[in-house]
């Protein structure tokens, strides 16, 4: 398998000028596209329609190139607070050129789960379904659990309309439904890569801070624009002929610049970073490095938005580039207050 | 002169438990207090009453120790976005113990200007008045311009009520009045320390981004709770017997971790940092390191709040402490998008 | 008993110019003050310090007139969204002049409960304690349940600091703690005036929308500045010599102008309204008059803030005065989406 | 001419289920569509992409019915704060059936201006161009100035990207550019219908509160999704065979329920209202009905958002329907703090 990765800026959620330029210049072959991860400039919370707008725009455009644009994994994560810069990361996959000798480099697998019922969102059935989906994507990529470095899941949320008629939903709160949906998806990833087992998870604990039940490679993002989960698994395989490599570490807290530097170093090509992928949350203890923070008590700004601004700023200062992927809400993704961070670098 | 500096956390704008503990433990002698700089947890914009609440609480408390609490410089800067942690920095001053040999260390001077008329806020008269005040504070501290490392000014803003009846004000917009007030105050600092002269400044340019007209040592903060300017000048003097030292650099942009590290290093005691003082603003060009940022187009969150979150996160990750002083709105304080950063370290 | 009621505007949370003018003009005798209800201009949510700032300012001022300013009921409700105008309503009480013949007019009673433990906030113990307190206040005012028209309760909330060390709290969410605290307090009022009994209430239902368990006279407001509940009971008694009268109705929804007009009419002096007191919440069904609203899905603005703006606008357009008291979060105060509305009118 | 008007709810900016149902039931003939006015659920300010998302979705859908969907006037106004409910109003136009006798009823005309240069936005050239466009639309509808009841203009705004390279723009502030763009467009309407002349307008006054220079029939709305102005003129003509009629009044302030009732009454069919169209702004004096409001000093919520919530609530309580069109920012549309209000009613 040969995977190529391209990063293009967006001037707005419906700006495809960067994508079009890559196609025009024959750098990107749109028929080989398998996944797109975007950071769009909405609030990243319940009423963020920039995700859906970007998705609709992309799928409309790709109709000209692909028989089924819905077959592509399209994960839009809202929220470019602070220095973060809206952009798309495009993943293309094709068969390896047999002339090129394989080396340990990037491969990927994808999966779409079935749609979830409102009452399933945030529960054990969702964990199990996501876990099975991740394992299918790993099989597709021929990745063993220890070769997986990053698993991105886009998952659904509950609106008032979707809750209606269902007394069995996990929460009556739109924003709260994003948390349990992200949490269940992340636990699904952890189960799939063997970090813990399904029977260690109690449904009532899903979405609550936990020092034990977290995945070191999961990144999950909830959105109003889908009802199923879309999964993208990234890892390094010795059978790859890609020109990129991936590495990851786990941030212990929002200011853990060391972990970010570590992920860059672990690619062995820290000067050739294509993109960085990190998770952010306001430490649920109310403290960071022993100091009180006010994010959880600020009723004017969602703490997720502030958390993205914080991790985005620290990571951008380390990478030297604010056009990176930082996604908010890291329930069961890294330890409370921290989160996984992965870097993709270009090989020489 | 002997200056001592103490930093205490605040659980709320009216929390004095940290101050009371220092007094009780005889670490702080409240009768020697000359200045207090605080970060309070409001929005740091027009309707931030946490600054006034903290100020009222402090002055009420200090009545028991000081004949005139209003004689103290009390500069409350609102906004502890992201990881920033509410706190007070207390500056005490007393005559040097003749037994202690002087060395190059921290000294300070203070000044209260007269109240400004609404129409003076943001204009050349304000620049001139602040410049004269800074020079008086420098004289008090026996500091030459090149020995000055940080000048904090608290300045007034215009509310609808204050504007009423005045057609001569610089702006009809409450938030806009904070910008011109901060800008004029910063230019006053620059004039006082000789970075440029009064006649280089055109009134219409006050508050506008400028690559030439900026001070490398000014930090100005606007608030609804005063009508005059309060000035605190900090520098190193060979005549000092203080146990602290100060250094500064200028951040070229919001992610300039190098400048922060430089300021720490320049104290020669980067492991003994008492507090860091930095300015933040969303780069007015709309770009950071060549990438588009969305802070100026986000109509839900004031860009000043986001800018504080960004610089606060970068600086906290460098210092290893989120309890630092980062103030928003850096008009004429450092180059556009950047700002001065000063560090106070404890001497062995 | 003779009760007088005064309404004064505030230019800021620490503005007492209106109060001072009433005292100077001998309209208000500060030694007879028993309760103050204020609308302050904060966000009315967790980090609203305008309530505490106004309270501190008032108590400091009243030290000159009252032996124990803390004995006064001081209920500050944050949030003057939309047209609402910050103000104080001051209630004075003195013995009746035996020369004046009694008539059915305003009387009041007050009560301070004990401080609540973090784990009690929002639970049945709180309901019971508030109910007992309301009954004591009713007894003080010699009011039977059917003579009660309005019961205002100020109740505590949970911050991260207060939650710490307690795994027994009803919610880990600061804003959520305001909801259960208001809910339990309102249920306490309902129990006290006989709208339902304590054993009809299941602890798990406290704070959830209910078409049965609500009080038609309760108005409760949560704040960070207290740990107990402060209670003010208002009603009409035939033994009163007051120059004011009170009436109330229940709004069925946020746009129920008819109920507001009804409350004004029921005073028999709709042209002499001193103040109006209403509750507001975003209809938890997600609909108003059969139309979808977006308040519960807006992650940028708290729905409580919008609900106050809505009810404030409708009520102000009916009363012809935006300086009215509209408080957010009407859990168990009126039916879901609606709330009690009371009017105090001046008698000729 | 025969005009029909349909109102359909939207569950999200890309929800066309209501439109599709009307087409399926043969109530709406999509080939006769000439204009669509929508209220979408974004913030209504600079970074509101719900307008563009709704527009893209509609145009994509209409490709199946219309040769040139861009020929349709598509005016999306962001912001459904408070009780306002997202919806579309669809205007269809066809030749009159000669069998039906004409009566005074609704007619419409439309116009697209050319794209504006960044430096033209908010200036006299824009006023003039919009005036000419309105007059063309009036001619198309055969409406004399006194027969015009409502003129909706969608106009462009300036982003940082659009400002770049232009030192001649009227403002460097994204939100400020919306104000001058709306103001210039409204003045163009006023010129077109003869409320004042072009030479009465000084460019520097565009966007500033004025008691003289305002239109009683203009409603203008700025958005990032276009560079020209789109114009929709509505009025009553004796030559119409429509089943709707329009009337308007001018609100003197945000709480002017009388003007709203007047507009309903003036249709002579106040019980058959199809939709209401109103403008909202936070009174620039800082006062409403002699009371201070805090909208202009609230740095957490844009005053435009609050103004829409206020006028939306008052109007919805009068009409008995929250699914109405209230648009923010009424520069030169009605007197300062007020604005035009128009009602369309179904004829028997």
């Amino acid at each position: 398998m040969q995977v190529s990765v391209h990063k293009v800026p967006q001037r707005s959620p419906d700006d495809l000028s960067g994508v079009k330029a890559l196609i025009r210049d024959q750098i990107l072959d749109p028929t080989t596209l398998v996944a797109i991860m975007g950071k769009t400039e909405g609030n990243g919370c319940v009423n963020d329609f920039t995700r859906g707008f970007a998705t609709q725009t992309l799928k409309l455009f790709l109709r000209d190139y692909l028989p089924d644009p819905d077959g592509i994994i399209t994960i839009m994560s809202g929220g470019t607070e602070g220095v973060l810069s809206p952009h798309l990361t495009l993943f293309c996959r094709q068969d390896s050129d047999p002339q090129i000798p394989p080396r340990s480099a990037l491969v990927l697998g994808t999966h779409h789960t079935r749609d979830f019922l409102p009452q399933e969102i945030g529960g054990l059935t969702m964990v199990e379904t996501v876990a099975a989906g991740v394992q299918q994507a790993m099989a597709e990529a021929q990745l063993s659990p220890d070769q997986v470095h990053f698993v991105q899941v886009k998952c659904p949320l509950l609106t008032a309309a979707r809750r209606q008629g269902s007394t069995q939903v996990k929460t009556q709160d739109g924003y709260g439904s994003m948390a349990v949906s992200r949490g269940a998806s992340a636990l699904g990833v952890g189960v799939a890569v063997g970090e813990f087992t399904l029977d260690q998870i109690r449904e009532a604990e899903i979405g609550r801070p936990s020092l034990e039940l977290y995945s070191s490679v999961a990144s999950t993002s909830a959105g109003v624009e889908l009802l199923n989960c879309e999964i993208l698994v990234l890892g390094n395989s010795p059978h790859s002929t890609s020109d990129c490599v991936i590495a990851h570490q786990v941030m212990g807290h929002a200011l853990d610049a060391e972990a970010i530097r570590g992920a860059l170093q672990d690619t062995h090509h820290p000067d050739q970073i294509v993109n960085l992928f990190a998770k952010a949350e306001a430490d649920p203890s109310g403290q960071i490095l022993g100091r009180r923070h006010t994010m959880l008590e600020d009723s004017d700004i969602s703490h997720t938005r502030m958390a993205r601004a914080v991790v985005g700023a620290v990571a951008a200062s380390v990478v030297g580039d604010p056009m990176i992927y930082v996604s908010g809400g890291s329930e069961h993704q890294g330890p409370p207050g921290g989160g996984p961070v992965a870097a993709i670098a270009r090989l020489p």
Side-chain angles (χ1 to χ4, degrees), chain A residues 281-288 290-297 303:
Chain A
E281 77 174 356
D283 199 303
S285 72
Q287 297 207 328
I288 292 175
R291 303 299 200 182
R292 177 170 79 99
H293 69 78
T294 60
M295 290 184 267
L296 297 174
E297 255 97 52
H303 53 82

mmCIF file with all atom_site columns, all heavy atoms in Angstrom, chain A residues 281-288 290-297 303:
data_model
loop_
_atom_site.group_PDB
_atom_site.id
_atom_site.type_symbol
_atom_site.label_atom_id
_atom_site.label_alt_id
_atom_site.label_comp_id
_atom_site.label_asym_id
_atom_site.label_entity_id
_atom_site.label_seq_id
_atom_site.pdbx_PDB_ins_code
_atom_site.Cartn_x
_atom_site.Cartn_y
_atom_site.Cartn_z
_atom_site.occupancy
_atom_site.B_iso_or_equiv
_atom_site.pdbx_formal_charge
_atom_site.auth_seq_id
_atom_site.auth_comp_id
_atom_site.auth_asym_id
_atom_site.auth_atom_id
_atom_site.pdbx_PDB_model_num
ATOM 1   N N   . GLU A 1 281 ? -8.542  19.024 26.279 1.00 0.00 ? 281 GLU A N   1
ATOM 2   C CA  . GLU A 1 281 ? -9.702  19.230 27.147 1.00 0.00 ? 281 GLU A CA  1
ATOM 3   C C   . GLU A 1 281 ? -9.268  20.048 28.355 1.00 0.00 ? 281 GLU A C   1
ATOM 4   O O   . GLU A 1 281 ? -8.100  20.054 28.735 1.00 0.00 ? 281 GLU A O   1
ATOM 5   C CB  . GLU A 1 281 ? -10.334 17.901 27.596 1.00 0.00 ? 281 GLU A CB  1
ATOM 6   C CG  . GLU A 1 281 ? -9.598  17.179 28.688 1.00 0.00 ? 281 GLU A CG  1
ATOM 7   C CD  . GLU A 1 281 ? -10.354 15.936 29.195 1.00 0.00 ? 281 GLU A CD  1
ATOM 8   O OE1 . GLU A 1 281 ? -11.484 15.677 28.761 1.00 0.00 ? 281 GLU A OE1 1
ATOM 9   O OE2 . GLU A 1 281 ? -9.782  15.227 30.047 1.00 0.00 ? 281 GLU A OE2 1
ATOM 10  N N   . ALA A 1 282 ? -10.212 20.772 28.913 1.00 0.00 ? 282 ALA A N   1
ATOM 11  C CA  . ALA A 1 282 ? -9.961  21.507 30.145 1.00 0.00 ? 282 ALA A CA  1
ATOM 12  C C   . ALA A 1 282 ? -9.862  20.483 31.264 1.00 0.00 ? 282 ALA A C   1
ATOM 13  O O   . ALA A 1 282 ? -10.797 19.701 31.473 1.00 0.00 ? 282 ALA A O   1
ATOM 14  C CB  . ALA A 1 282 ? -11.097 22.483 30.412 1.00 0.00 ? 282 ALA A CB  1
ATOM 15  N N   . ASP A 1 283 ? -8.750  20.498 31.977 1.00 0.00 ? 283 ASP A N   1
ATOM 16  C CA  . ASP A 1 283 ? -8.554  19.465 32.999 1.00 0.00 ? 283 ASP A CA  1
ATOM 17  C C   . ASP A 1 283 ? -9.759  19.411 33.937 1.00 0.00 ? 283 ASP A C   1
ATOM 18  O O   . ASP A 1 283 ? -10.108 20.407 34.575 1.00 0.00 ? 283 ASP A O   1
ATOM 19  C CB  . ASP A 1 283 ? -7.278  19.767 33.791 1.00 0.00 ? 283 ASP A CB  1
ATOM 20  C CG  . ASP A 1 283 ? -6.786  18.534 34.517 1.00 0.00 ? 283 ASP A CG  1
ATOM 21  O OD1 . ASP A 1 283 ? -7.577  17.974 35.310 1.00 0.00 ? 283 ASP A OD1 1
ATOM 22  O OD2 . ASP A 1 283 ? -5.655  18.103 34.257 1.00 0.00 ? 283 ASP A OD2 1
ATOM 23  N N   . PRO A 1 284 ? -10.423 18.232 34.003 1.00 0.00 ? 284 PRO A N   1
ATOM 24  C CA  . PRO A 1 284 ? -11.652 18.145 34.806 1.00 0.00 ? 284 PRO A CA  1
ATOM 25  C C   . PRO A 1 284 ? -11.430 18.333 36.305 1.00 0.00 ? 284 PRO A C   1
ATOM 26  O O   . PRO A 1 284 ? -12.387 18.549 37.041 1.00 0.00 ? 284 PRO A O   1
ATOM 27  C CB  . PRO A 1 284 ? -12.186 16.734 34.493 1.00 0.00 ? 284 PRO A CB  1
ATOM 28  C CG  . PRO A 1 284 ? -11.046 15.981 33.903 1.00 0.00 ? 284 PRO A CG  1
ATOM 29  C CD  . PRO A 1 284 ? -10.139 16.980 33.275 1.00 0.00 ? 284 PRO A CD  1
ATOM 30  N N   . SER A 1 285 ? -10.174 18.281 36.747 1.00 0.00 ? 285 SER A N   1
ATOM 31  C CA  . SER A 1 285 ? -9.899  18.530 38.170 1.00 0.00 ? 285 SER A CA  1
ATOM 32  C C   . SER A 1 285 ? -10.013 20.005 38.511 1.00 0.00 ? 285 SER A C   1
ATOM 33  O O   . SER A 1 285 ? -10.028 20.383 39.678 1.00 0.00 ? 285 SER A O   1
ATOM 34  C CB  . SER A 1 285 ? -8.481  18.059 38.513 1.00 0.00 ? 285 SER A CB  1
ATOM 35  O OG  . SER A 1 285 ? -7.527  18.943 37.948 1.00 0.00 ? 285 SER A OG  1
ATOM 36  N N   . GLY A 1 286 ? -10.077 20.863 37.507 1.00 0.00 ? 286 GLY A N   1
ATOM 37  C CA  . GLY A 1 286 ? -10.100 22.302 37.764 1.00 0.00 ? 286 GLY A CA  1
ATOM 38  C C   . GLY A 1 286 ? -8.715  22.870 37.981 1.00 0.00 ? 286 GLY A C   1
ATOM 39  O O   . GLY A 1 286 ? -8.569  24.061 38.265 1.00 0.00 ? 286 GLY A O   1
ATOM 40  N N   . GLN A 1 287 ? -7.695  22.044 37.833 1.00 0.00 ? 287 GLN A N   1
ATOM 41  C CA  . GLN A 1 287 ? -6.322  22.493 38.051 1.00 0.00 ? 287 GLN A CA  1
ATOM 42  C C   . GLN A 1 287 ? -5.409  22.018 36.923 1.00 0.00 ? 287 GLN A C   1
ATOM 43  O O   . GLN A 1 287 ? -5.617  20.957 36.347 1.00 0.00 ? 287 GLN A O   1
ATOM 44  C CB  . GLN A 1 287 ? -5.795  21.928 39.367 1.00 0.00 ? 287 GLN A CB  1
ATOM 45  C CG  . GLN A 1 287 ? -6.556  22.408 40.586 1.00 0.00 ? 287 GLN A CG  1
ATOM 46  C CD  . GLN A 1 287 ? -5.702  22.399 41.831 1.00 0.00 ? 287 GLN A CD  1
ATOM 47  O OE1 . GLN A 1 287 ? -4.815  21.555 41.968 1.00 0.00 ? 287 GLN A OE1 1
ATOM 48  N NE2 . GLN A 1 287 ? -5.952  23.332 42.724 1.00 0.00 ? 287 GLN A NE2 1
ATOM 49  N N   . ILE A 1 288 ? -4.387  22.817 36.643 1.00 0.00 ? 288 ILE A N   1
ATOM 50  C CA  . ILE A 1 288 ? -3.322  22.423 35.726 1.00 0.00 ? 288 ILE A CA  1
ATOM 51  C C   . ILE A 1 288 ? -2.001  22.740 36.403 1.00 0.00 ? 288 ILE A C   1
ATOM 52  O O   . ILE A 1 288 ? -1.803  23.882 36.858 1.00 0.00 ? 288 ILE A O   1
ATOM 53  C CB  . ILE A 1 288 ? -3.431  23.170 34.380 1.00 0.00 ? 288 ILE A CB  1
ATOM 54  C CG1 . ILE A 1 288 ? -4.683  22.710 33.632 1.00 0.00 ? 288 ILE A CG1 1
ATOM 55  C CG2 . ILE A 1 288 ? -2.209  22.921 33.517 1.00 0.00 ? 288 ILE A CG2 1
ATOM 56  C CD1 . ILE A 1 288 ? -4.941  23.462 32.347 1.00 0.00 ? 288 ILE A CD1 1
ATOM 57  N N   . GLY A 1 290 ? -1.059  22.127 39.240 1.00 0.00 ? 290 GLY A N   1
ATOM 58  C CA  . GLY A 1 290 ? -1.263  22.578 40.609 1.00 0.00 ? 290 GLY A CA  1
ATOM 59  C C   . GLY A 1 290 ? -1.892  23.947 40.752 1.00 0.00 ? 290 GLY A C   1
ATOM 60  O O   . GLY A 1 290 ? -2.074  24.448 41.870 1.00 0.00 ? 290 GLY A O   1
ATOM 61  N N   . ARG A 1 291 ? -2.233  24.562 39.631 1.00 0.00 ? 291 ARG A N   1
ATOM 62  C CA  . ARG A 1 291 ? -2.837  25.896 39.673 1.00 0.00 ? 291 ARG A CA  1
ATOM 63  C C   . ARG A 1 291 ? -4.290  25.802 39.225 1.00 0.00 ? 291 ARG A C   1
ATOM 64  O O   . ARG A 1 291 ? -4.592  25.104 38.262 1.00 0.00 ? 291 ARG A O   1
ATOM 65  C CB  . ARG A 1 291 ? -2.102  26.852 38.732 1.00 0.00 ? 291 ARG A CB  1
ATOM 66  C CG  . ARG A 1 291 ? -0.617  27.017 38.986 1.00 0.00 ? 291 ARG A CG  1
ATOM 67  C CD  . ARG A 1 291 ? -0.322  27.581 40.357 1.00 0.00 ? 291 ARG A CD  1
ATOM 68  N NE  . ARG A 1 291 ? 1.026   28.166 40.398 1.00 0.00 ? 291 ARG A NE  1
ATOM 69  C CZ  . ARG A 1 291 ? 1.553   28.703 41.490 1.00 0.00 ? 291 ARG A CZ  1
ATOM 70  N NH1 . ARG A 1 291 ? 0.881   28.717 42.643 1.00 0.00 ? 291 ARG A NH1 1
ATOM 71  N NH2 . ARG A 1 291 ? 2.770   29.218 41.464 1.00 0.00 ? 291 ARG A NH2 1
ATOM 72  N N   . ARG A 1 292 ? -5.152  26.567 39.866 1.00 0.00 ? 292 ARG A N   1
ATOM 73  C CA  . ARG A 1 292 ? -6.556  26.625 39.466 1.00 0.00 ? 292 ARG A CA  1
ATOM 74  C C   . ARG A 1 292 ? -6.699  27.197 38.061 1.00 0.00 ? 292 ARG A C   1
ATOM 75  O O   . ARG A 1 292 ? -6.097  28.219 37.750 1.00 0.00 ? 292 ARG A O   1
ATOM 76  C CB  . ARG A 1 292 ? -7.327  27.522 40.445 1.00 0.00 ? 292 ARG A CB  1
ATOM 77  C CG  . ARG A 1 292 ? -8.798  27.721 40.094 1.00 0.00 ? 292 ARG A CG  1
ATOM 78  C CD  . ARG A 1 292 ? -9.542  28.406 41.220 1.00 0.00 ? 292 ARG A CD  1
ATOM 79  N NE  . ARG A 1 292 ? -9.331  29.834 41.275 1.00 0.00 ? 292 ARG A NE  1
ATOM 80  C CZ  . ARG A 1 292 ? -10.184 30.748 40.780 1.00 0.00 ? 292 ARG A CZ  1
ATOM 81  N NH1 . ARG A 1 292 ? -11.322 30.372 40.222 1.00 0.00 ? 292 ARG A NH1 1
ATOM 82  N NH2 . ARG A 1 292 ? -9.919  32.029 40.876 1.00 0.00 ? 292 ARG A NH2 1
ATOM 83  N N   . HIS A 1 293 ? -7.516  26.576 37.210 1.00 0.00 ? 293 HIS A N   1
ATOM 84  C CA  . HIS A 1 293 ? -7.895  27.237 35.969 1.00 0.00 ? 293 HIS A CA  1
ATOM 85  C C   . HIS A 1 293 ? -9.384  27.553 36.044 1.00 0.00 ? 293 HIS A C   1
ATOM 86  O O   . HIS A 1 293 ? -10.112 26.997 36.866 1.00 0.00 ? 293 HIS A O   1
ATOM 87  C CB  . HIS A 1 293 ? -7.532  26.406 34.730 1.00 0.00 ? 293 HIS A CB  1
ATOM 88  C CG  . HIS A 1 293 ? -8.334  25.155 34.535 1.00 0.00 ? 293 HIS A CG  1
ATOM 89  N ND1 . HIS A 1 293 ? -9.610  25.169 34.026 1.00 0.00 ? 293 HIS A ND1 1
ATOM 90  C CD2 . HIS A 1 293 ? -8.050  23.865 34.795 1.00 0.00 ? 293 HIS A CD2 1
ATOM 91  C CE1 . HIS A 1 293 ? -10.072 23.932 33.966 1.00 0.00 ? 293 HIS A CE1 1
ATOM 92  N NE2 . HIS A 1 293 ? -9.159  23.112 34.434 1.00 0.00 ? 293 HIS A NE2 1
ATOM 93  N N   . THR A 1 294 ? -9.835  28.455 35.197 1.00 0.00 ? 294 THR A N   1
ATOM 94  C CA  . THR A 1 294 ? -11.221 28.935 35.291 1.00 0.00 ? 294 THR A CA  1
ATOM 95  C C   . THR A 1 294 ? -12.075 28.470 34.108 1.00 0.00 ? 294 THR A C   1
ATOM 96  O O   . THR A 1 294 ? -13.219 28.906 33.964 1.00 0.00 ? 294 THR A O   1
ATOM 97  C CB  . THR A 1 294 ? -11.248 30.477 35.349 1.00 0.00 ? 294 THR A CB  1
ATOM 98  O OG1 . THR A 1 294 ? -10.646 31.006 34.174 1.00 0.00 ? 294 THR A OG1 1
ATOM 99  C CG2 . THR A 1 294 ? -10.501 31.002 36.563 1.00 0.00 ? 294 THR A CG2 1
ATOM 100 N N   . MET A 1 295 ? -11.542 27.577 33.295 1.00 0.00 ? 295 MET A N   1
ATOM 101 C CA  . MET A 1 295 ? -12.271 27.184 32.083 1.00 0.00 ? 295 MET A CA  1
ATOM 102 C C   . MET A 1 295 ? -13.615 26.533 32.388 1.00 0.00 ? 295 MET A C   1
ATOM 103 O O   . MET A 1 295 ? -14.590 26.768 31.679 1.00 0.00 ? 295 MET A O   1
ATOM 104 C CB  . MET A 1 295 ? -11.416 26.245 31.223 1.00 0.00 ? 295 MET A CB  1
ATOM 105 C CG  . MET A 1 295 ? -10.228 26.949 30.587 1.00 0.00 ? 295 MET A CG  1
ATOM 106 S SD  . MET A 1 295 ? -9.293  25.858 29.464 1.00 0.00 ? 295 MET A SD  1
ATOM 107 C CE  . MET A 1 295 ? -8.046  25.234 30.572 1.00 0.00 ? 295 MET A CE  1
ATOM 108 N N   . LEU A 1 296 ? -13.667 25.725 33.441 1.00 0.00 ? 296 LEU A N   1
ATOM 109 C CA  . LEU A 1 296 ? -14.907 24.989 33.727 1.00 0.00 ? 296 LEU A CA  1
ATOM 110 C C   . LEU A 1 296 ? -15.956 25.876 34.387 1.00 0.00 ? 296 LEU A C   1
ATOM 111 O O   . LEU A 1 296 ? -17.118 25.493 34.491 1.00 0.00 ? 296 LEU A O   1
ATOM 112 C CB  . LEU A 1 296 ? -14.606 23.784 34.613 1.00 0.00 ? 296 LEU A CB  1
ATOM 113 C CG  . LEU A 1 296 ? -13.684 22.743 33.983 1.00 0.00 ? 296 LEU A CG  1
ATOM 114 C CD1 . LEU A 1 296 ? -13.330 21.671 34.989 1.00 0.00 ? 296 LEU A CD1 1
ATOM 115 C CD2 . LEU A 1 296 ? -14.339 22.123 32.757 1.00 0.00 ? 296 LEU A CD2 1
ATOM 116 N N   . GLU A 1 297 ? -15.543 27.035 34.878 1.00 0.00 ? 297 GLU A N   1
ATOM 117 C CA  . GLU A 1 297 ? -16.496 27.928 35.538 1.00 0.00 ? 297 GLU A CA  1
ATOM 118 C C   . GLU A 1 297 ? -16.889 29.109 34.652 1.00 0.00 ? 297 GLU A C   1
ATOM 119 O O   . GLU A 1 297 ? -17.693 29.951 35.055 1.00 0.00 ? 297 GLU A O   1
ATOM 120 C CB  . GLU A 1 297 ? -15.888 28.456 36.852 1.00 0.00 ? 297 GLU A CB  1
ATOM 121 C CG  . GLU A 1 297 ? -16.481 27.810 38.087 1.00 0.00 ? 297 GLU A CG  1
ATOM 122 C CD  . GLU A 1 297 ? -15.621 26.657 38.586 1.00 0.00 ? 297 GLU A CD  1
ATOM 123 O OE1 . GLU A 1 297 ? -14.424 26.860 38.762 1.00 0.00 ? 297 GLU A OE1 1
ATOM 124 O OE2 . GLU A 1 297 ? -16.157 25.547 38.783 1.00 0.00 ? 297 GLU A OE2 1
ATOM 125 N N   . HIS A 1 303 ? -15.685 25.463 27.610 1.00 0.00 ? 303 HIS A N   1
ATOM 126 C CA  . HIS A 1 303 ? -14.316 25.083 27.993 1.00 0.00 ? 303 HIS A CA  1
ATOM 127 C C   . HIS A 1 303 ? -13.618 24.313 26.885 1.00 0.00 ? 303 HIS A C   1
ATOM 128 O O   . HIS A 1 303 ? -12.389 24.341 26.781 1.00 0.00 ? 303 HIS A O   1
ATOM 129 C CB  . HIS A 1 303 ? -14.327 24.299 29.301 1.00 0.00 ? 303 HIS A CB  1
ATOM 130 C CG  . HIS A 1 303 ? -15.239 23.124 29.322 1.00 0.00 ? 303 HIS A CG  1
ATOM 131 N ND1 . HIS A 1 303 ? -14.899 21.911 28.806 1.00 0.00 ? 303 HIS A ND1 1
ATOM 132 C CD2 . HIS A 1 303 ? -16.500 22.990 29.789 1.00 0.00 ? 303 HIS A CD2 1
ATOM 133 C CE1 . HIS A 1 303 ? -15.892 21.068 28.968 1.00 0.00 ? 303 HIS A CE1 1
ATOM 134 N NE2 . HIS A 1 303 ? -16.897 21.699 29.557 1.00 0.00 ? 303 HIS A NE2 1
#
